[in-house]
Amino acid sequence: MIKVVEANFIKSAQSIEDSLSPDISEVAFLGRSNVGKSSLLNVLVNKKGLAKSSSTPGKTKLINFFDVTYLIKKEEEKQKFSLRFVDLPGFGYAKVSKVEKKNWETNLTNFLLNRNSIRVFIQLVDARHPYLEIDESTYKFLESVRTGDQKILRVFTKVDKLNRKEFHKLKNSFKDGLFVSNLKKTGVEELNREIFKFVFGDIIGN
Ligand SMILES: Nc1nc2c(ncn2[C@@H]2O[C@H](COP(=O)(O)OP(=O)(O)OP(=O)(O)O)[C@@H](O)[C@H]2O)c(=O)[nH]1
Ligand SMILES: [Mg+2]
C-alpha cells in the first residue's frame, strides 16, 4: 500500500537562482496554463487547496516547492520516504505581454535544463486536445535534454470530459500515457505508484 501522509508548502521562487538547494529528489509538474497542474498536485497528496488552482489561466506565477512524505506499508512493515513536488507556472498563456512571456520561457527552460534534482517530469496534456504543437514540442524538448536518471510521464488530464469512445481512442494512441481526472480522482493512485517506483525502485509490490 502506498499513500501520502504529509504534504507542506515550503517556498516560492522566481527562478532557479533562488530555488531551494537541490538536495532531495523532485517531481516537476509542467504543461500549458489551465491544464490542471496545481489540481493534480493536490489530488496526488490528497490535500485540497495546497497548490492554488483556478479556472482563470495563469494562476501559478512562481515556482512552488512542496515537501511530500509517502508511507509504504508492506505486510506489517511501515516505511516513510520523502520527495519534493514542484508546481510550475503554465506556458502558452496569451494574456501576458510578449516580453513577460519571453522572460518566463527563458526562465522555465533554464530551470528544466539545470535543475538536476528533478527525477520525474510530469508533463500534463489536456485529454481533449492531445496533439497540440506546443505539447509535442515540449515533449521532444524534454526527451532531448533529460538525463539517464530522469523520466518523463505524460499525463492526460480532464478525462472526465471525454465520452467512452474518445477515451478508448486516446488510450490506444498513447500506450505509455497515464490518464487522470482530478475532478473524479481517477488514475491518481497509479500515477503515485509510477512516481514512487521510478524514484525509489519497485519495492511496493502489489
Ligand atoms: N473537469 C475537470 N476540470 C479540471 C481537472 N483538472 C483541473 N480542472 C479545472 O481546470 C482549471 C485549472 O486548473 P489548475 O489546476 O489551476 O490548472 P494549472 O495547470 O495549475 O493552471 P496555471 O497555474 O494557470 O498554469 C480549474 O478550474 C480546475 O478545477 C480535471 O481533471 N477535470
Ligand atoms: Mg497552477
Side-chain angles (χ1 to χ4, degrees), residues 31-40 52-61 87-91 124 157-161 180-184:
R32 280 191 310 127
S33 197
N34 213 41
V35 70
K37 298 176 290 298
S38 303
S39 304
L40 178 60
K52 299 283 169 284
S53 70
S54 161
S55 56
T56 315
K59 177 70 185 172
T60 309
K61 294 200 170 67
D87 190 20
L88 293 166
F91 42 75
L124 285 82
T157 60
K158 309 194 182 185
V159 299
D160 52 276
K161 296 200 184 240
V180 303
S181 165
N182 297 320
L183 192 71
K184 302 254 169 78

Side-chain angles (χ1 to χ4, degrees), residues 9 11-12 15 29 59 105 153 190 192 195:
F9 169 74
K11 174 191 162 101
S12 294
S15 67
F29 294 76
K59 177 70 185 172
E105 273 167 20
L153 292 176
E190 194 186 345
N192 257 333
I195 294 169

Side-chain angles (χ1 to χ4, degrees), residues 143-155:
E143 271 296 353
S144 69
V145 301
R146 78 176 174 95
T147 60
D149 67 349
Q150 292 180 317
K151 188 178 178 72
I152 306 162
L153 292 176
R154 193 144 42 162
V155 175

Side-chain angles (χ1 to χ4, degrees), residues 91-93 96-110:
F91 42 75
Y93 176 47
V96 291
S97 75
K98 269 196 179 153
V99 178
E100 214 179 320
K101 216 168 164 178
K102 190 86 215 146
N103 280 346
W104 173 243
E105 273 167 20
T106 312
N107 222 355
L108 182 61
T109 309
N110 192 26

